Amino acid sequence: MESGFYGSSLDGNLKCKFEESGLANTHEIMEKAVRWFRSRSIFVVAYGTGCGAIEMPPTFTSRYDAERMGVVGVATPRQADLIILSGYLAYKTLRRVIRTYEQMQKPRYIMTLGSCPINGGMYWDSYNTIKKLDDYLPIDVSVTGCMPRPEAVIDGFVLLQERIRNGEKAGWEKYDENFEFYKENQKRVLGGHIDPSYETDWYNLKSGGKA
Amino acid sequence: MDLASKLEKLSLELVQKQDYLYSVTIDFERLESLLLSFLNEFGYITLDSINCRDDLEDGFFTITYCLQTEERDHVVMIQTKIQRENASLPTMHTIWPQAEIMEREMHEMFGVDFPGHPTLIDFALEYWDNMPPLRRDFDTLEYVNSMNPFREQRNDALDAKEEMKKKREAKKAAKLKAQQEAEAKAALEAQNNPSDEVKNEE
Ligand code: SF4
């Protein structure tokens, strides 16, 4: 079983059952339906790391009303599908963001606002901020601008929904595949002071399993 | 101002910088006693801030304490100089509790030591093991480049000037075309209904 029901393909057992009963195409249809529903219910934990956070209240409240697209804010990372990182990340913040991201359940997505997470933005020469966030975490959508207007943020949501609907490879899958690469980069800037990883398969610890 | 005459007795000079801003310069040995007499005798109960300036070329830090009275109508800056190497200051947190966090920040950013300070731990940074970052001999650029390499440039960037020119020309052409079409249409209509004018006359 490559990935579970939550993943990009249906649960293997279910797929076999469909095929046994002569419904070979059903799993594809089901998959499409699941992806469509998923794209229309995105729960967001908004992590205001930088100045861009100021654009999130208008995005989620009545003026721009992201809820009409199924995008709703939640309180904790464990309930969220999407984490929005809105701006530059200090090393100190990065440490917490990694922890937050790893607490989220799969499927999970990352959206960044502004140019700072892309190339450092106007904080490129700061002694305490990172320049390229995608070295440390997999980004699904980057919204550019300094800072992006709510329209642009909503455009980012639309793009993300499209990608989910089309079943494109998401960031969390890349994170799983290139786990060592990401961890190595995180260690490089955060030193040895990095929180224990949540990416552990607690049920198969003996087989040394990573989730 | 009677503060000036009081300071004169201590052979210190009060300099007016702006209409609400005064400054006193004092040598390091007398700093602590002067701060105490500002609080106890002159009634400067509030410590606004403690600031540090790095005078790298001359080899010292300039420390400024900003004090206010209860009326909050003026600020007095007490300035002193300390050696850059192994810099150390008396801690003021027992007198003004807010000094604790100001001193902690100064310790982190400039490496000034405060003997007797209870919490000289990380303030804004975390696990910092390099030179304090606001000292001027800390090479920020080199540090940044060693930690965070630049993203590789994309080389499909277009020339903004030319693109705008193309866009403008396209717009002009479209406008011209629309105009010509409208004219042709009007001419055609006039051909098809030649009786319009006649009707109107009737
Ligand atoms: S991109 Fe601009 S608005 Fe966003 S965090 Fe950076 S400086 Fe602030």
Side-chain angles (χ1 to χ4, degrees):
Chain A
M1 187 175 92
E2 333 85 79
S3 53
F5 189 81
Y6 51 75
S8 56
S9 74
L10 268 186
D11 186 10
N13 289 337
L14 199 58
K15 188 172 165 182
C16 289
K17 269 183 201 147
F18 280 140
E19 272 164 11
E20 271 167 28
S21 44
L23 295 167
N25 265 338
T26 315
H27 72 274
E28 274 170 31
I29 297 169
M30 280 287 285
E31 214 171 275
K32 259 189 191 165
V34 167
R35 287 204 302 256
W36 188 86
F37 285 122
R38 181 176 296 151
S39 77
R40 302 295 293 187
S41 80
I42 296 180
F43 288 78
V44 181
V45 58
Y47 198 125
T49 58
C51 2
I54 209 72
E55 297 295 342
M56 284 198 279
T59 312
F60 285 101
T61 48
S62 60
R63 178 71 198 265
Y64 291 96
D65 195 12
E67 199 167 332
R68 71 201 142 94
M69 308 164 58
V71 180
V72 193
V74 290
T76 77
R78 289 181 202 277
Q79 303 164 327
D81 299 311
L82 171 68
I83 182 169
I84 299 186
L85 304 173
S86 52
Y88 59 84
L89 283 102
Y91 298 145
K92 201 174 176 178
T93 323
L94 180 65
R95 203 170 274 130
R96 278 126 188 103
V97 165
I98 291 168
R99 198 178 172 86
T100 312
Y101 178 68
E102 290 187 350
Q103 282 180 14
M104 288 164 66
Q105 301 191 51
K106 296 167 191 172
R108 54 193 179 189
Y109 306 92
I110 301 186
M111 186 161 128
T112 63
L113 308 187
S115 45
C116 287
I118 300 171
N119 59 10
M122 62 191 252
Y123 295 100
W124 67 273
D125 63 349
S126 159
Y127 54 83
N128 201 29
T129 61
I130 54 161
K131 229 179 264 171
K132 297 188 284 179
L133 181 59
D134 50 349
D135 277 356
Y136 314 103
L137 287 171
I139 301 178
D140 286 287
V141 179
S142 295
V143 181
T144 55
C146 178
M147 52 199 55
R149 297 268 308 143
E151 291 94 333
V153 180
I154 285 177
D155 204 39
F157 287 140
V158 172
L159 182 62
L160 180 67
Q161 287 177 332
E162 220 165 81
R163 287 191 177 163
I164 296 174
R165 264 202 300 281
N166 297 342
E168 282 171 37
K169 195 166 197 176
W172 60 273
E173 289 167 292
K174 287 178 206 160
Y175 194 65
D176 283 356
E177 272 168 30
N178 308 316
F179 193 65
E180 270 73 44
F181 165 79
Y182 286 113
K183 278 289 158 200
E184 220 164 80
N185 284 336
Q186 290 168 11
K187 259 184 213 135
R188 182 171 55 78
V189 293
L190 301 181
H193 312 282
I194 191 165
D195 290 318
S197 172
Y198 275 85
E199 302 294 299
T200 310
D201 187 355
W202 296 106
Y203 299 102
N204 296 307
L205 272 185
K206 271 188 199 140
S207 61
K210 195 173 68 58
Chain B
M1 196 176 179
D2 68 339
L3 178 65
S5 56
K6 279 181 203 163
L7 286 175
E8 223 161 83
K9 273 181 219 155
L10 300 169
S11 62
L12 291 169
E13 193 192 359
L14 190 68
V15 183
Q16 182 157 19
K17 299 271 182 181
Q18 287 168 28
D19 48 358
Y20 59 90
L21 195 65
Y22 302 84
S23 88
V24 187
T25 310
I26 188 163
D27 47 341
F28 173 61
E29 284 74 36
R30 291 167 65 198
L31 173 73
E32 199 170 353
S33 66
L34 184 76
L35 284 172
L36 282 176
S37 51
F38 259 86
L39 173 70
N40 297 328
E41 292 163 32
F42 310 154
Y44 286 78
I45 54 168
T46 304
L47 175 68
D48 270 5
S49 60
I50 311 176
N51 306 299
C52 182
R53 190 181 74 211
D54 190 354
D55 293 316
L56 177 65
E57 290 77 9
D58 307 332
F60 51 76
F61 288 134
T62 305
I63 312 286
T64 309
Y65 291 79
C66 294
L67 301 176
Q68 281 194 33
T69 57
E70 204 173 347
E71 282 78 46
R72 312 248 181 277
D73 53 355
H74 66 282
V75 179
V76 176
M77 309 190 299
I78 301 177
Q79 288 194 325
T80 187
K81 287 174 183 168
I82 57 171
Q83 283 300 314
R84 253 180 122 264
E85 296 314 313
N86 302 323
S88 149
L89 274 174
T91 172
M92 287 293 141
H93 82 275
T94 45
I95 313 169
W96 290 289
Q98 64 267 41
E100 180 184 339
I101 210 143
M102 299 169 187
E103 286 169 356
R104 202 202 304 180
E105 184 183 9
M106 201 192 286
H107 173 257
E108 180 170 276
M109 292 298 169
F110 292 96
V112 180
D113 191 22
F114 292 88
H117 192 290
T119 53
L120 278 189
I121 49 173
D122 284 347
F123 176 59
L125 305 173
E126 242 182 7
Y127 310 114
W128 185 266
D129 54 4
N130 216 310
M131 183 185 289
L134 286 196
R135 285 176 87 114
R136 276 175 55 212
D137 44 0
F138 174 69
D139 193 339
T140 315
L141 197 60
E142 194 194 296
Y143 176 77
V144 167
N145 286 339
S146 72
M147 290 289 274
N148 295 303
F150 273 102
R151 181 182 298 281
E152 265 172 41
Q153 288 280 320
R154 244 169 52 185
N155 38 23
D156 58 349
L158 302 168
D159 186 2
K161 231 178 192 172
E162 273 183 17
E163 290 306 304
M164 285 312 285
K165 206 171 157 192
K166 269 188 216 162
K167 219 171 169 181
R168 247 177 282 145
E169 271 164 15
K171 227 175 179 178
K172 232 186 211 167
K175 208 171 165 189
L176 202 69
K177 204 179 161 195
Q179 210 178 350
Q180 278 171 354
E181 270 172 17
E183 273 169 19
K185 208 174 160 192
L188 207 68
E189 266 176 23
Q191 242 177 35
N192 289 347
N193 311 318
S195 53
D196 262 11
E197 284 168 35
V198 185
K199 264 182 204 164
N200 285 344
E201 272 167 27
E202 279 172 13

